[in-house]
Amino acid sequence: MDVTLALQLLVQGVLLGGIYGLIAMGLSLIFGVMGVINFAHGQMMVMGMYVSYWIFVLLGIDPYVSLVVVAAGTFLLGYAIQSSVVNRILDYPEAMQVLPLVAMGLILENTALLLWGPDHRSPQTALGLEALWIGPVMVDVSRLIAFALAILITSLIFFFLKKTDIGKSIRAAADNRTGAILVGIDVNRIFNIAFGIGAASTGAAGALLLPLMPVSPHMGHDFTLTAFIVVILGGLGNLMGALIGGLILGVTESLSTLLLPATLKQVVSFSILVLIMIFRPRGLFGGKK
C-alpha cells in the first residue's frame, strides 16, 4: 500500500467529513426537536449553493464571506416552511408527513432549475487552486477553510442550544412538547426557530461546498441521502453523533478509493447504512427511534 496516498486520502476524508457533519446536523436537529424527517434537506443545501454562487457572480463576494447572508436566507426559508407547512402536519401519521416535505423539495429543485437552468456551474474563487504541503501530504486550502468553518459553525450551534434561553426552550420542547406548553413556552415559535437553524446550517454547508464542486439543480437528492446515512450512523437526533458520523463517513468514503473506483464510493456509504440498520438501528452513539 502507498502510505503517502493513504495519508492524502485520510486528510481529504477528514476535511470532507466535517462538511458532511454540518449538513447532517441540521437534519438531526430537525428530527430531534420535531420528530420530522426533512426530505427537502438536500434541496435547501442546493439553494444555499446557488445563492452563494449568485452573490459571487454579481457582487464578487467570496462564498466564505457570503455564507452569513446565505445562512440568514435559508433560516428564513426554513422558518417559513415550518410555520406554513410542518406545524400543520406534526400530529399526522409519519407516512403522511413525508409527502409535503418531498413536495417542498421538488418545489425548491424546480425553482433552482427555473432560475439558473440545468447546466452545472462552478465559480473560480480566489483560493480555489491554492494548496499547502504538510510533509508529503497536500492540503487543499479551500477544503481546509471549509472544514474549519464547519467546525466553528457546529460549535456555535452547540453553544446556542446549551447556553441561550431560546436554545434551552428548544431542548425543552424536544424533550417534552406538552410539558413545554404547560410552562408557557410558545412551542410553535420554538419549532419555527429550530427548523430555521437546521436549514441555516445546511445553507451554510452549501456555501462551503460551492468552491469544492459544481452546483446543479438535481444534486439535492444525493446530499439528502448522504445526510440520512450520517444521521443514522451517528444516531437520529444526536447532534454530536451527526458530527462524528460525518467524519466517519468522509474518511471511509475517501479511503475506500484505495480498493475501489471512486465512482463506487456510494456503494460503501449504503453498505454502512445497511449494516448500521441491522446491527445498531439507533446509531453508533444512540438516538431517537
Side-chain angles (χ1 to χ4, degrees), residues 45 133 158 174 186 213 228 282:
M45 195 204 71
W133 289 86
F158 274 117
D186 184 346
M213 61 181 62
F228 281 161
R282 299 186 67 178

Side-chain angles (χ1 to χ4, degrees), residues 29-239:
L29 175 65
I30 291 168
F31 181 83
V33 177
M34 276 80 73
V36 170
I37 298 176
N38 179 20
F39 285 92
H41 203 69
Q43 286 79 4
M44 288 182 175
M45 195 204 71
V46 172
M47 289 302 288
M49 294 180 78
Y50 270 118
V51 172
S52 183
Y53 171 80
W54 220 355
I55 293 174
F56 179 77
V57 171
L58 296 178
L59 304 175
I61 299 175
D62 197 276
Y64 302 127
V65 178
S66 67
L67 75 84
V68 176
V69 177
V70 173
T74 47
F75 174 87
L76 294 176
L77 174 64
Y79 193 102
I81 290 175
Q82 175 69 29
S83 60
S84 61
V85 178
V86 182
N87 278 340
R88 300 171 190 273
I89 62 173
L90 279 180
D91 296 324
Y92 288 9
E94 291 179 358
M96 294 182 67
Q97 294 176 349
V98 172
L99 289 180
L101 288 167
V102 170
M104 288 305 306
L106 292 174
I107 290 171
L108 293 175
E109 181 177 332
N110 283 279
T111 300
L113 190 62
L114 179 67
L115 292 176
W116 293 286
D119 297 333
H120 288 74
R121 296 170 186 266
S122 180
Q124 297 298 316
T125 58
L127 300 174
L129 299 177
E130 296 294 323
L132 57 88
W133 289 86
I134 303 175
V137 177
M138 185 189 74
V139 179
D140 187 327
V141 172
S142 294
R143 288 179 186 270
L144 182 61
I145 295 174
F147 174 79
L149 289 175
I151 297 299
L152 175 63
I153 294 168
T154 301
S155 302
L156 290 175
I157 292 174
F158 274 117
F159 179 82
F160 178 82
L161 293 175
K162 292 284 186 183
K163 300 297 182 182
T164 67
D165 290 341
I166 293 177
K168 292 173 183 175
S169 297
I170 290 174
R171 290 162 52 205
D175 187 55
N176 189 322
R177 181 181 173 189
T178 303
I181 294 173
L182 290 175
V183 298
I185 294 174
D186 184 346
V187 171
N188 282 345
R189 174 174 166 271
I190 290 299
F191 283 175
N192 296 345
I193 293 172
F195 201 102
I197 293 172
S201 67
T202 307
L208 295 177
L209 277 174
L210 184 64
L212 306 179
M213 61 181 62
V215 57
S216 75
H218 305 299
M219 62 191 298
H221 303 287
D222 290 343
F223 279 102
T224 299
L225 290 174
T226 299
F228 281 161
I229 294 170
V230 171
V231 168
I232 291 171
L233 180 61
L236 283 166
N238 187 325
L239 300 187

